[in-house]
Amino acid sequence: MLVGLVSDTHDDLDAVEAAVTLFESRGVDAVVHCGDFVAPFSVTPFDADFDFYAVRGNNDGEWAVESTVDAFGEYLGEAGTLSFPVGDPDQSAAEAAASVDTTESVDVAVTHGTSEIVVDALVDCGDYDVVVHGHTHARAVETRGETVRVNPGGLPIPVEGADDAFYVAVLDTSVAGAAAVTSHRLEP
């Protein structure tokens, strides 16, 4: 199963559309947005041919973001947990779920990442295979113990340490560890 990971799109519709186009071309089964859409209009392009999950970011000032996500996906609030089946990336989500032992899954925690203490606690507790967050606009993939921490990146911003381009990532649940994550530089 393939899962698209994106964060910090900040109302940039060109970036959102570039991300959706990449995810559709890769045939992802689900997309997880780590927050900072900012306004509801930048949520709706994610109403595409994949399952959609999102958490609230510190710049998501309009509460209508929640109802907009819930109209076609699942809004997880400040943070949430998801479980994706382990399976062949060429299978659909339904096929993967049907073809594997139901105890085989990739357990994912999602938060925006505003608090490094919360991100570190989620990674270090050992309850999750993957912890996904955004906020820093700096892509990262790190393995600590049995947990992979992923920041897919975000729009470039003039802050030290932030990426100089827009990045998203794809998680392949059939692959273990940091090798399961592929970063993609997008040109909105």
Side-chain angles (χ1 to χ4, degrees):
M1 179 175 185
L2 298 175
V3 181
L5 307 173
V6 60
S7 188
D8 298 284
T9 49
H10 292 270
D11 284 348
D12 186 325
L13 283 179
D14 292 335
V16 169
E17 290 169 6
V20 169
T21 297
L22 174 90
F23 295 146
E24 289 179 325
S25 74
R26 298 284 189 231
V28 302
D29 301 291
V31 170
V32 176
H33 195 297
C34 299
D36 276 4
F37 296 98
V38 181
F41 75 84
S42 65
V43 174
T44 56
F46 289 102
D47 186 1
D49 193 27
F50 42 70
D51 294 335
F52 185 69
Y53 307 92
V55 295
R56 181 175 177 76
N58 62 301
N59 286 300
D60 290 331
E62 292 191 41
W63 287 100
V65 165
E66 178 178 358
S67 61
T68 305
V69 170
D70 279 338
F72 63 89
E74 185 176 347
Y75 188 76
L76 303 171
E78 297 293 324
T81 59
L82 300 165
S83 188
F84 297 110
V86 174
D88 184 332
D90 295 326
Q91 292 178 313
S92 70
E95 291 169 331
S99 68
V100 296
D101 180 344
T102 56
T103 62
E104 287 189 66
S105 64
V106 175
D107 295 323
V108 179
V110 184
T111 185
H112 181 58
T114 308
S115 170
E116 289 181 38
I117 293 170
V118 171
V119 172
D120 286 341
L122 289 168
V123 172
D124 295 337
C125 76
D127 290 346
Y128 306 102
D129 300 303
V130 179
V131 173
V132 185
H133 70 94
H135 185 62
T136 65
H137 296 248
R139 72 190 183 289
V141 179
E142 167 195 23
T143 302
R144 281 195 262 170
E146 298 295 314
T147 302
V148 177
R149 179 185 67 84
V150 180
N151 183 333
L155 290 173
I157 58 173
V159 172
E160 187 176 332
D163 291 328
D164 62 353
F166 179 52
Y167 285 87
V168 299
V170 174
L171 170 68
D172 181 347
T173 65
S174 70
V175 177
V181 181
T182 305
S183 289
H184 299 273
R185 179 184 174 132
L186 300 180
E187 300 295 332

